[in-house]
Amino acid sequence: MGGRMESVVNELEASARGLGTTGLTRVLLIEDDPADARLVELCLDRAATRCAFSMEHQTRIADGIEAARATKFDVILLDLSLPDGVGLDNLERLLVSVATVPIVVLTGCDDEAAADEALRAGAQDFLVKGAFDRRGLLNSIRHSIQRHRLVQEVTEARRRETEVRNELLSHVSHELRTPLTAVLQFVTILQDGIGGEVSPQQAEYLGIIQRNSEQLKFMIGELMDATRAETGRLIAHKTVVDLVPALEAAVEDQRLAAEERGVALSLRSVPSLRIIADPTRLAQVIANLLGNALKFTPADGRIEVSAEIDPGNPLLARIAVRDTGCGIPADDVPHVFDRLYQSRSPDHSSRRGLGLGLHISREIVRQHGGEIHVESREGRGSCFRFTMPVYSLDALIQRFVPAVGQPPSEITLIAAQAWPSGPAANAKTPALVLTELQRLVADCILGVCDVVLPSQVGRGCQTVFAVARTGLEGATAIRERIRGALGANDRLRRWGFSTDVSSHAFGVVAAEDAVGELSDELTAAMRSIKEAPGGGGVL
């Protein structure tokens, strides 16, 4: 027995030497029972005759978390029953605070289901008090450290693999766009007859080249968007969007394609709603869903687009695209939004693309704070639904209204404006200028108590409003801070835009309809500012 124990200690010693520069295995024990703590200490003391151990003992989960943050430990031995925490909650709290350290759970309950649950939650091992000996503890520590190290190495390898793959995709996508642009330009030149007369057969061939080049251009764009989504660089420039004209435009963009396939495409009556969205990204989601529906809907089929207030949340708009196509096999439904996934379809000719459209759509919707899902029956068609936040001034300003019984408060409406004042302004889209203006204003207010209101793109002058919980003195400071930031902004000046800032103070009293009254006052003030010369548009 002694020889076998010595062998175990030798193995542990070798493992410990590989953990760090000191070769010291640092153990944190979080255990409130003195007898159990003494047992662990004796096991480690016996092993320490040949292997270096250092143990720190804490009796509360809060103290253990503080110790783990202050000192780099190689392993943590955690009791699940402590004075300030019981059960897997202790494990979860520890994992959130020190995820880089392997954890061995100690418990007096010999329950295999509990052990499995602890391992699924993130523990590396599970030991029952009174049922482990010195060898069992040492093996558990050694194996837990090794497993945790392997998990970290695999996680890092996967992260690096994803990073390299995305870098490659991004590079390839950018490099492909340049020659593809040249192909499309020269095809257009030939089709216009600039390079000489084109015969009917040559015109047919040029049309084939153009269609396939456009398809390749679309797929490259999807690859770039998928890479941006993977790396967190898929940005949505959110503004206030009128939903009805946005859906009408999206449907009209697909009207010709639907007619060519003999599919009836319609827009059901939509309530007059305004949502907070990036109009370009919103159009991309709807185009992806309509394009997907057209692929799998046969001639004489129907596709319907609709929208309504979400029945479960009045602050969300629910948009739906329903078709009478071939439907999605039940096994495929959970995976249709996965990257590069293509549903099995009896119509193999419809499998054009990379299987990225729905994946990108899901990322765009989630970036807006919404969700997307599909309901489908094979042979019966599919219905894709996604949600977008509704623009509600009442909901945005509710925080500024004092509760009944509280003293009145002061708030200030800040308006930052940028309008074209030079020839260079014609080269910039209004949405880009509005986004830059929103960013500058957001940097100059206190996000914890102030709010930048979603803005709508104007025709000439772009205006961003913010509401600040402050009176005249504080408003003056905010106004001058924004004015300084605008004056120092090279982009707006280089783009040929002039800027200015104004403010308007309001007193708010606690009342039953205080939110509605404040909303009306703010709306009137914003309308007055935007209807001034150069204002352009009304929120």
Side-chain angles (χ1 to χ4, degrees):
M1 179 68 181
R4 291 196 313 182
M5 186 63 195
E6 184 176 4
S7 174
V8 171
V9 173
N10 287 339
E11 290 177 9
L12 185 56
E13 180 181 21
S15 176
R17 287 198 183 108
L19 289 173
T21 56
T22 64
L24 180 68
T25 303
R26 295 183 175 87
V27 179
L28 171 62
L29 173 64
I30 309 177
E31 169 64 72
D32 65 326
D33 189 315
D36 290 328
R38 180 57 179 162
L39 176 61
V40 172
E41 186 178 7
L42 288 173
C43 289
L44 296 182
D45 282 347
R46 171 65 180 86
T49 59
R50 298 289 301 277
C51 181
F53 279 95
S54 171
M55 190 186 88
E56 180 174 336
H57 177 210
Q58 298 292 341
T59 60
R60 300 170 60 87
I61 186 64
D63 296 335
I65 290 173
E66 186 176 344
R69 286 173 173 169
T71 304
K72 181 176 175 57
F73 291 99
D74 297 307
V75 66
I76 298 174
L77 307 179
L78 173 67
D79 182 19
L80 290 184
S81 181
L82 297 168
D84 57 340
V86 179
L88 290 180
D89 181 59
N90 287 345
L91 176 61
E92 292 170 359
R93 289 169 64 186
L94 197 56
L95 285 169
V96 169
S97 302
V98 283
T100 58
V101 184
I103 300 172
V104 176
V105 168
L106 303 178
T107 177
C109 177
D110 188 2
D111 185 346
E112 290 188 6
D116 291 341
E117 194 173 356
L119 294 175
R120 283 195 299 268
Q124 289 296 333
D125 206 353
F126 187 96
L127 293 177
V128 179
K129 297 177 183 179
F132 68 84
D133 56 11
R134 186 178 292 124
R135 177 175 179 171
L137 177 62
L138 299 180
N139 277 339
S140 179
I141 290 175
R142 175 164 58 91
H143 294 154
S144 295
I145 292 172
Q146 291 173 344
R147 279 195 301 268
H148 190 74
R149 180 190 294 166
L150 287 173
V151 169
Q152 287 188 310
E153 289 175 354
V154 170
T155 301
E156 176 59 24
R158 286 176 177 170
R159 186 199 66 78
R160 181 56 187 160
E161 179 186 0
T162 300
E163 187 177 275
V164 170
R165 181 192 66 203
N166 288 334
E167 287 176 358
L168 176 63
L169 285 175
S170 179
H171 179 72
V172 170
S173 300
H174 279 290
E175 292 301 316
L176 285 175
R177 291 184 73 174
T178 300
L180 183 59
T181 300
V183 170
L184 286 168
Q185 287 175 341
F186 279 98
V187 165
T188 302
I189 289 172
L190 292 174
Q191 287 176 324
D192 291 343
I194 297 175
E197 186 177 350
V198 178
S199 68
Q201 188 176 40
Q202 289 172 333
E204 180 185 351
Y205 294 160
L206 287 172
I208 294 172
I209 294 173
Q210 183 183 36
R211 286 194 299 274
N212 283 274
S213 297
E214 292 287 358
Q215 176 68 13
L216 181 56
K217 181 181 177 182
F218 175 77
M219 289 191 290
I220 291 172
E222 282 196 329
L223 274 175
M224 294 181 69
D225 277 343
T227 302
R228 293 187 188 106
E230 193 84 13
T231 56
R233 291 180 294 180
L234 186 66
I235 299 173
H237 302 295
K238 300 172 189 175
T239 64
V240 177
V241 177
D242 289 315
L243 186 57
V244 173
L247 293 182
E248 288 174 343
V251 168
E252 286 306 311
D253 285 344
Q254 300 290 330
R255 180 77 65 191
L256 180 60
E259 290 175 354
E260 289 176 349
R261 292 183 63 91
V263 175
L265 175 59
S266 63
L267 175 63
R268 201 171 72 188
S269 179
V270 175
S272 181
L273 291 174
R274 288 191 295 173
I275 62 174
I276 303 171
D278 181 325
T280 302
R281 294 299 185 188
L282 174 64
Q284 183 179 357
V285 172
I286 300 171
N288 281 340
L289 297 182
L290 286 175
N292 201 61
L294 284 169
K295 285 182 186 179
F296 299 103
T297 301
D300 297 327
R302 300 186 309 278
I303 300 174
E304 181 185 75
V305 179
S306 62
E308 62 182 354
I309 294 292
D310 190 290
N313 187 345
L315 294 179
L316 289 176
R318 188 170 69 176
I319 302 161
V321 176
R322 185 187 302 273
D323 65 66
T324 59
C326 61
I328 304 170
D331 292 342
D332 288 345
V333 169
H335 306 288
V336 294
F337 296 104
D338 293 350
R339 178 172 173 159
L340 299 176
Y341 190 85
Q342 290 185 311
S343 176
R344 293 177 286 110
S345 166
D347 182 11
H348 294 284
S349 64
S350 64
R351 288 193 184 182
R352 300 181 64 192
L354 299 173
L356 290 172
L358 292 178
H359 172 74
I360 294 168
S361 296
R362 181 182 65 179
E363 297 307 307
I364 292 173
V365 170
R366 285 181 174 177
Q367 199 170 67
H368 285 77
E371 290 293 336
I372 185 170
H373 69 279
V374 60
E375 297 173 3
S376 184
R377 291 181 62 186
E378 200 166 2
R380 296 290 188 89
S382 305
C383 181
F384 286 83
R385 292 188 178 91
F386 68 95
T387 55
M388 288 278 172
V390 171
Y391 173 74
S392 169
L393 184 59
D394 287 9
L396 290 168
I397 65 172
Q398 192 165 15
R399 67 166 85 171
F400 297 101
V401 177
V404 175
Q406 296 296 316
S409 63
E410 289 183 299
I411 68 167
T412 299
L413 176 69
I414 309 287
Q417 294 183 293
W419 61 90
S421 59
N426 296 326
K428 290 299 171 186
T429 64
L432 189 62
V433 176
L434 185 65
T435 299
E436 183 69 10
L437 204 58
Q438 287 173 323
R439 184 187 65 80
L440 287 172
V441 173
D443 288 343
C444 294
I445 66 171
L446 298 176
V448 293
C449 57
D450 305 333
V451 62
V452 178
L453 300 179
S455 305
Q456 197 163 31
V457 177
R459 297 182 186 88
C461 179
Q462 305 306 319
T463 306
V464 171
F465 294 102
V467 179
R469 194 190 301 274
T470 183
L472 181 61
E473 185 176 346
T476 300
I478 295 174
R479 191 172 62 244
E480 293 308 310
R481 189 158 60 240
I482 295 175
R483 182 172 284 122
L486 291 172
N489 185 270
D490 291 334
R491 285 185 177 181
L492 290 173
R493 186 167 56 251
R494 191 169 62 250
W495 293 348
F497 281 79
S498 297
T499 60
D500 197 13
V501 188
S502 59
S503 62
H504 188 85
F506 295 86
V508 187
V509 297
E512 185 175 341
D513 193 33
V515 173
E517 292 177 0
L518 177 59
S519 177
D520 291 342
E521 289 186 61
L522 287 173
T523 299
M526 289 189 288
R527 181 179 293 111
S528 175
I529 292 170
K530 292 183 73 68
E531 288 180 345
V538 179
L539 251 182

